[in-house]
Amino acid sequence: MYEAGVSLGGGSLRGAAHIGALQEMIQQNYFITHIAGTSAGALIGGLFACGIQPNQMGEILESLSIRKHMDFSLNRKGFLKGERIYQTLLKLTDGRHFSDLEIPFSVVCVDLNSRKAEIINEGEVARALRASIAIPGIFSPVEMGDKLLADGYIINNNPADVVKKMGADRVIAIRVLSSKSQSRTPGNAITCVSRYMDIASHINTDQLLENYADTIIDIDLVNVGRFKPKLIPDIIERGRMAARKALSDEVFRAKKPVERVI
């Protein structure tokens, strides 16, 4: 059995690719020692840490669509209140707290008050997941004490550094890419904002991955949009195939497997 901590990046529904990568890791006899995630990566990582197996996650992710959780906000901090999706997350995680999890897990957000990254690893898992998927302008940010928390995508979209600091000896970072669509000129306001956020996110995240990730699984989702639920099965399969290719690296696999008594 091979031990590794895993960092999972954001990508909206394209984050379904993490499901396939986790499936392949399990298939190849990897034991995941630690998990940290941002946005969609936090969601998938949190479900896994709560004991939900990857082969169950595809349908769950489809059920979490924004369309099914419309609850319009009047506080002007976001288009949606996010209470409906929080209640769904509460049921999926069975109300667990971080202290209830067998796998150490951390969630990355950004605190809009301090303008700094906020790492959540205590308290209620569902509340942390709700904060990490709070895309500014769509979901209202989450208040925790004196903090106002939102999606951590722009500041650390693949927290390999967090996984390393949690105590993982080896860190596998799973990264969602969309190369061709990123090379095109943005065609509307939404794609302009998306590109603007991507530039800042990549500068911050790529440096952290270079310093802290032992292996990076790049999943290239060419021309796959962020919000296309019908493509989830294909996205999962692409994640699985990308992981299979990356984990077949002889140099990486040459490290001695760990004997575990389960």
Side-chain angles (χ1 to χ4, degrees), residues 185-234:
T185 300
N188 55 50
I190 293 176
T191 55
C192 282
V193 172
S194 177
R195 180 68 59 84
Y196 177 77
M197 293 176 62
D198 285 344
I199 291 169
S201 176
H202 290 164
I203 290 173
N204 294 332
T205 302
D206 289 353
Q207 184 174 359
L208 290 171
L209 289 178
E210 182 178 347
N211 292 333
Y212 293 99
D214 297 294
T215 296
I216 299 175
I217 299 175
D218 278 332
I219 306 170
D220 195 351
L221 299 177
V222 177
N223 297 327
V224 176
R226 293 176 182 270
F227 303 103
K228 295 189 177 180
K230 292 182 179 179
L231 296 179
I232 285 177
D234 178 59

Side-chain angles (χ1 to χ4, degrees), residues 24-252:
E24 187 63 26
M25 289 186 69
I26 293 170
Q27 180 67 29
Q28 293 199 27
N29 207 30
Y30 280 85
F31 178 80
I32 297 174
T33 59
H34 305 77
I35 305 175
T38 303
S39 195
L43 176 61
I44 300 302
L47 295 178
F48 186 81
C50 285
I52 298 176
Q53 294 304 304
N55 60 10
Q56 300 173 278
M57 292 183 189
E59 291 185 6
I60 289 174
L61 201 60
E62 289 185 42
S63 74
L64 288 172
S65 70
I66 293 177
R67 182 177 58 84
K68 295 179 180 179
H69 292 85
M70 299 287 276
D71 53 355
F72 297 104
S73 174
L74 298 177
N75 64 17
R76 299 185 181 181
K77 291 181 180 177
F79 180 62
L80 303 175
K81 290 187 293 186
E83 182 62 23
R84 288 187 181 178
I85 200 163
Y86 164 66
Q87 291 298 329
T88 299
L89 292 171
L90 199 59
K91 291 178 182 178
L92 289 171
T93 60
D94 200 25
R96 288 181 176 86
H97 285 221
F98 285 85
S99 57
D100 299 323
L101 305 179
E102 294 186 7
I103 302 174
F105 174 55
S106 294
V107 171
V108 175
C109 299
V110 60
D111 179 7
L112 299 178
N113 288 334
S114 70
R115 306 180 186 183
K116 296 179 180 179
E118 183 70 21
I119 311 302
I120 307 175
N121 53 22
E122 59 182 19
E124 189 181 80
V125 175
R127 180 65 67 182
L129 298 183
R130 163 66 180 85
S132 194
I133 63 171
I135 302 171
I138 298 179
F139 285 113
S140 297
V142 173
E143 294 184 18
M144 289 189 181
D146 61 350
K147 298 178 176 64
L148 191 62
L149 303 177
D151 189 323
Y153 173 79
I154 198 167
I155 198 165
N156 187 349
N157 192 41
N158 205 309
D161 58 319
V162 176
V163 178
K164 182 68 75 172
K165 291 171 185 176
M166 289 169 71
D169 291 328
R170 183 187 305 174
V171 178
I172 298 176
I174 303 175
R175 179 168 59 178
V176 175
L177 302 176
S178 186
S179 60
K180 286 187 179 179
S181 62
Q182 290 299 317
S183 65
R184 293 178 178 176
T185 300
N188 55 50
I190 293 176
T191 55
C192 282
V193 172
S194 177
R195 180 68 59 84
Y196 177 77
M197 293 176 62
D198 285 344
I199 291 169
S201 176
H202 290 164
I203 290 173
N204 294 332
T205 302
D206 289 353
Q207 184 174 359
L208 290 171
L209 289 178
E210 182 178 347
N211 292 333
Y212 293 99
D214 297 294
T215 296
I216 299 175
I217 299 175
D218 278 332
I219 306 170
D220 195 351
L221 299 177
V222 177
N223 297 327
V224 176
R226 293 176 182 270
F227 303 103
K228 295 189 177 180
K230 292 182 179 179
L231 296 179
I232 285 177
D234 178 59
I235 291 171
I236 291 174
E237 179 62 16
R238 293 199 199 189
R240 190 175 67 82
M241 296 306 295
R244 175 175 296 181
K245 180 179 179 180
L247 297 178
S248 66
D249 185 333
E250 292 184 2
V251 174
F252 182 65

